[in-house]
Amino acid sequence: MLTKRIIPCIDVDLDEDGNAAVYTGVHFEDLKYTGDPVEMAKRYNEAGADEFVFLDITASSDGRETMLDTVSKVADEVFIPLTVGGGIRTREDIKETLRAGADKVSINTAALSRPELVTEGATAFGSQCIVISVDAQRRFDEDGEYYAQVDGESCWFECTVKGGREGTDVDVVAWAKEAEERGAGELFVNSIDADGTKDGYDVPLTKAVCDSVSTPVIASSGCGGPEDAYEVFADAGADAALAASIFHFEEYTIREVKEYLADRDVPVRL
Amino acid sequence: MSTTPPPEEALAEVVVVDYGLGNLRSATRGLERAGAAVTITDDPDALGDADGVVLPGVGAFSEGMENAGPFREALREAAERGQPIFGICLGMQMLLTTSEEAERAGEGDVEGLDFIPGRNVRFSQGQKVPHMGWNELRVERDHPLVDGVDGEYAYFVHSYYAIPEDEGAVVATTGYGIDFPSIVANEAGNVFGTQFHPEKSGETGLRILRNFVELCADR
């Protein structure tokens, strides 16, 4: 049986010496140095991660070469699927990133501003390597297309950019459907509301997307422990659950999360 | 042609066929980790001296066959000589006779390599397509490639699967709506393929690559 996936994610920035380093958000904004990307990738590979996500969070393009070089080093150590996101804006960026050793690229803002990029990427490199990522935020007004019930209220989910600081008025569910039609192979659903809370994934959001598309959905943001992963699989129908800090700060091991899921009849690779 | 420096004590020399379908890095690193000295080549003449040949693959069947066209004769000779030939994902599908994928794309009958008679068809039992993620291998019969991997998990990404004419060609199966062949091999046993990506399947995948490299070394 196809298993549910547990995916650790690292946010990679340049440190003051210009080297790639992993940083993890603590209490919403403060970024804490967490480790060396290659070392962390090796550790998670050995710990039973089903995939690995590498997000380049450098704000400028200066670090592009260092990042691609780091992606290659990670790819040489990790014998599980590797997704790389951040700063991918053109077909050429996709090609470079895949050539550096990524199996999939995750595209966010650039796809929203130019949806043809999804079609171009899927046609040129195959749907299996095009992951569309959204940063969703709940909105309780009447501007949306698809509504869900959240705490007894009707709400829709807006695609945001710049880490949730800017709205786009694009409905996440409508965009997910379009991205799928354009050939996206997976959807990576982040929640601005849940991010950093450790109170659990945004289940209504994840469920709204899972119910609308047949493309695999990776739930992200808000994981505080194994019970949150269970909830997003059982109640929202996610195909994969992504987590960062609970693994980085060793609050739980990947194995502990998977054993918890297996005990509750969620199929996992142990 | 690019050659990575052979490890001090490489068990076997393996050639990875480069027919322009992109990322060969993972397969190469996986084979190296498994003890092979790897040469990536786009020259059909380079196949003859190798201990084993790998046909990687991502993409569409007709495109893959078109790109592999120049290798058709060299691969046939290698298969007849008994050289191990390992097809991965699309590379495995290409070992069969034909694929519904080309027909669906309106490209008529595209001839596969036909080392394992049969065809590739699309999942049509109501499953989510593509079949993407980790799924279980159930070994159906002995073959050196599957030593130690029964019941283990491997990473799949595909929409089509192989149906060999001879059931004996099925080495392992995997359940996804139906039980489909996830590892196939020809009658002589030297031509085989995995629908999943061993280079992306963690320890289980590396075990399969090691089994392959040992098979090449034993020749």
Side-chain angles (χ1 to χ4, degrees):
Chain A
M1 191 194 270
L2 188 64
T3 61
K4 300 290 188 181
R5 291 169 276 158
I6 297 295
I7 307 179
C9 169
I10 55 171
D11 288 346
V12 186
D13 202 346
L14 298 178
D15 65 13
E16 56 231 16
D17 300 323
N19 299 314
V22 179
Y23 291 88
T24 307
V26 186
H27 305 305
F28 300 91
E29 284 189 351
D30 301 337
L31 288 175
K32 183 173 184 266
Y33 174 79
T34 315
D36 172 69
V38 182
E39 287 307 313
M40 287 180 74
K42 271 165 87 167
R43 204 171 83 209
Y44 288 130
N45 185 36
E46 283 156 17
D50 294 316
E51 296 193 25
F52 190 67
V53 173
F54 178 117
L55 293 179
D56 169 3
I57 57 164
T58 46
S60 71
S61 55
D62 302 350
R64 185 91 192 134
E65 215 162 292
T66 310
M67 283 300 168
L68 288 175
D69 185 48
T70 309
V71 167
S72 294
K73 287 182 184 147
V74 168
D76 288 350
E77 294 295 340
V78 170
F79 294 98
I80 54 177
L82 169 64
T83 301
V84 176
I88 295 170
R89 295 188 175 80
T90 63
R91 195 183 134 147
E92 195 52 35
D93 292 339
I94 299 175
K95 192 175 171 182
E96 266 187 349
T97 310
L98 295 174
R99 190 170 286 172
D103 298 292
K104 314 177 194 183
V105 293
S106 148
I107 312 173
N108 192 329
T109 315
L112 267 174
S113 40
R114 206 174 68 81
E116 294 77 20
L117 182 61
V118 185
T119 323
E120 289 168 14
T123 309
F125 309 104
S127 287
Q128 82 289 336
C129 68
I130 306 295
V131 183
I132 296 305
S133 173
V134 291
D135 291 338
Q137 191 158 27
R138 294 175 176 180
R139 275 184 61 173
F140 294 88
D141 57 30
E142 286 167 13
D143 297 339
E145 285 182 60
Y146 296 90
Y147 283 82
Q149 288 299 309
V150 175
D151 305 328
E153 278 189 79
S154 191
C155 130
W156 65 285
F157 305 97
E158 182 188 21
C159 294
T160 67
V161 292
K162 300 189 178 163
R165 290 192 302 277
E166 258 177 45
T168 62
D169 286 327
V170 176
D171 188 304
V172 168
V173 173
W175 171 230
K177 288 179 171 207
E178 180 178 349
E180 176 175 54
E181 273 168 30
R182 287 182 176 276
E186 262 184 323
L187 299 167
F188 191 166
V189 182
N190 308 285
S191 162
I192 297 297
D193 304 285
D195 192 36
T197 64
K198 291 199 176 181
D199 285 341
Y201 296 93
D202 188 333
V203 171
L205 162 71
T206 313
K207 187 174 189 320
V209 177
C210 290
D211 287 350
S212 311
V213 297
S214 63
T215 304
V217 171
I218 304 167
S220 168
S221 315
C223 186
E227 61 285 354
D228 294 332
Y230 176 74
E231 188 187 44
V232 86
F233 289 136
D235 299 345
D239 296 277
L242 182 133
S245 62
I246 66 158
F247 296 138
H248 298 343
F249 299 133
E250 294 172 10
E251 291 160 28
Y252 294 94
T253 63
I254 291 169
R255 188 162 185 96
E256 281 168 342
V257 173
K258 287 190 173 182
E259 279 171 351
Y260 180 96
L261 294 167
D263 285 347
R264 284 154 188 79
D265 296 325
V266 175
V268 287
R269 176 180 72 109
L270 271 170
Chain B
M1 188 192 285
S2 73
T3 306
T4 43
E8 286 302 312
E9 290 171 25
L11 296 169
E13 287 180 25
V14 171
V15 161
V16 174
V17 175
D18 178 8
Y19 38 79
L21 287 182
N23 186 10
L24 305 176
R25 190 181 184 102
S26 317
T28 304
R29 293 293 178 270
L31 287 160
E32 285 172 353
R33 185 67 66 101
V38 181
T39 304
I40 296 172
T41 186
D42 56 7
D43 174 14
D45 292 337
L47 270 50
D49 298 331
D51 297 318
V53 178
V54 171
L55 272 180
V58 173
F61 188 83
S62 52
E63 194 191 345
M65 279 317 306
E66 193 183 316
N67 292 335
F71 284 91
R72 190 181 279 272
E73 196 50 32
L75 285 166
R76 193 184 58 75
E77 287 167 13
E80 281 171 6
R81 275 195 301 267
Q83 273 176 289
I85 299 179
F86 185 178
I88 294 173
C89 197
L90 177 71
M92 179 213 77
Q93 296 184 4
M94 285 165 37
L95 301 175
L96 282 87
T97 316
T98 186
S99 175
E100 203 181 88
E101 188 179 3
E103 293 155 31
R104 278 177 176 250
E107 285 152 352
D109 263 355
V110 175
E111 272 181 55
L113 295 165
D114 197 28
F115 296 147
I116 300 170
R119 59 201 300 264
N120 301 285
V121 300
R122 191 177 166 91
F123 283 116
S124 58
Q125 293 81 15
Q127 318 85 325
K128 274 192 184 183
V129 177
H131 172 222
M132 171 140 102
W134 294 82
N135 207 331
E136 192 177 354
L137 305 177
R138 287 186 303 256
V139 171
E140 304 289 345
R141 72 163 172 89
D142 280 346
H143 189 282
L145 195 68
V146 292
D147 187 28
V149 301
D150 190 23
E152 298 293 338
Y153 286 81
Y155 188 79
F156 291 82
V157 189
H158 63 121
S159 302
Y160 293 79
Y161 63 95
I163 306 183
E165 279 169 20
D166 172 13
E167 245 178 69
V170 179
V171 176
T173 57
T174 293
Y176 186 59
I178 47 149
D179 286 341
F180 70 92
S182 44
I183 306 180
V184 295
N186 70 347
E187 216 178 323
N190 68 312
V191 178
F192 41 82
T194 61
Q195 179 58 69
F196 54 89
H197 286 272
E199 76 281 16
K200 288 289 149 192
S201 297
E203 280 306 313
T204 301
L206 290 175
R207 174 76 191 251
I208 288 170
L209 294 175
R210 268 198 299 277
N211 290 343
F212 168 66
V213 172
E214 281 167 16
L215 185 67
C216 296
D218 287 346
R219 248 192 99 236

